[in-house]
Amino acid sequence: MTFNPSYLYTPSSSRVSPPIKSKIDVLPIDQLKWEDFERLCLRLAQVDHGKSNCEVYGIKGQKQHGIDIFGYKGAKYASYQCKRYQTIAEIDLEEAVKIFQEGKWFSKSNEFIFCTSCTLEKTQVQDKFLKLKNDLSAHGIAFIKWDKIQISSILKEHPQIVYDFFGREWVKAFNGEDFLNNISKERRLDAVQIANYRKQLFNV
């Protein structure tokens, strides 16, 4: 049974600091709250699979078998695990794969996407990722990493999502000011304005 909480589609509530440089290559994904990070991963998964073919699996407190989001991928699934970490070690990657392999989605999937808000740049972590990638490949499963760098790279092509989660100023600094003209006018407030509005309501 799947659940798709409505809060995953509400505007971002994270208060993300504005950029201090005019040209940015990496977004402050680590500043997002856990709920918003998961929602961001869902939005990106929906880009690949479509809104109707991609869902959050389970709710807080339920056993999720090592995944948070799934998307239809032909005869099988793309399974996503979301981890809002500040740093990551080899043991964290091993544990993520272990839980996935022991769960029911392992035999149903041909992709396992590990999503995290930090970077996987340390050589030890990269080496461990490559080993686990080879191990999963032997089972017909592609192991894909979406860390802070990869997610930022994907978001270069999606200024609307950047606007929704990080705000207007980040679109200017990260995607370029010209992209603002292509953003849907249906969105009244950006992420920063919504966070400020909620704060004002709370203080009234």
Side-chain angles (χ1 to χ4, degrees):
M1 184 175 182
T2 62
F3 297 84
N4 215 347
S6 60
Y7 78 87
L8 287 168
Y9 296 97
T10 61
S12 173
S13 62
S14 301
R15 296 182 63 82
V16 179
S17 302
I20 58 176
K21 295 193 299 183
S22 59
K23 190 61 178 176
I24 306 292
D25 291 319
V26 179
L27 290 164
I29 294 165
D30 52 322
Q31 290 187 34
L32 294 176
K33 295 178 182 178
W34 154 248
E35 296 89 350
D36 288 328
F37 177 64
E38 184 178 61
R39 288 175 53 237
L40 173 63
C41 294
L42 175 62
R43 286 282 296 274
L44 292 178
Q46 288 176 338
V47 169
D48 287 339
H49 308 290
K51 289 184 179 180
S52 61
N53 293 323
C54 192
E55 300 180 41
V56 170
Y57 182 67
I59 58 176
K60 191 172 183 179
Q62 287 191 309
K63 186 174 181 180
Q64 295 173 276
H65 300 273
I67 76 164
D68 296 293
I69 298 165
F70 68 89
Y72 298 102
K73 192 79 174 178
K76 291 202 170 186
Y77 295 90
S79 295
Y80 298 75
Q81 188 176 132
C82 305
K83 297 293 184 183
R84 186 184 175 276
Y85 290 145
Q86 295 300 316
T87 59
I88 194 167
E90 304 97 290
I91 188 65
D92 298 314
L93 279 178
E94 282 186 322
E95 185 66 16
V97 172
K98 180 175 181 291
I99 294 173
F100 172 63
Q101 288 179 313
E102 293 174 348
K104 65 182 182 181
W105 288 89
F106 179 68
S107 60
K108 299 179 181 182
S109 304
N110 55 20
E111 284 187 359
F112 178 52
I113 301 93
F114 181 76
C115 314
T116 181
S117 53
C118 65
T119 63
L120 278 69
E121 292 181 315
K122 290 183 178 179
T123 56
Q124 311 96 296
V125 177
Q126 289 179 329
D127 290 344
K128 176 59 67 176
F129 171 79
L130 291 174
K131 180 184 182 305
L132 293 169
K133 184 180 177 74
N134 288 334
D135 292 344
L136 286 176
S137 179
H139 295 279
I141 299 174
F143 188 26
I144 299 166
K145 62 176 177 179
W146 277 10
D147 69 352
K148 187 176 182 178
I149 304 299
Q150 273 80 26
I151 292 174
S152 293
S153 178
I154 295 169
L155 286 170
K156 279 287 187 183
E157 303 300 322
H158 300 284
Q160 177 70 64
I161 300 178
V162 176
Y163 183 89
D164 291 343
F165 284 88
F166 300 96
R168 182 184 183 89
E169 293 305 313
W170 278 102
V171 176
K172 281 191 205 177
F174 180 72
N175 303 96
E177 192 163 2
D178 290 344
F179 281 94
L180 284 174
N181 299 325
N182 298 323
I183 290 178
S184 171
K185 302 301 181 184
E186 295 179 2
R187 173 69 72 199
R188 282 79 58 194
L189 303 175
D190 70 6
V192 175
Q193 292 168 324
I194 289 170
N196 289 336
Y197 179 66
R198 284 174 171 161
K199 183 179 180 182
Q200 290 172 1
L201 286 178
F202 181 79
N203 290 333
V204 169

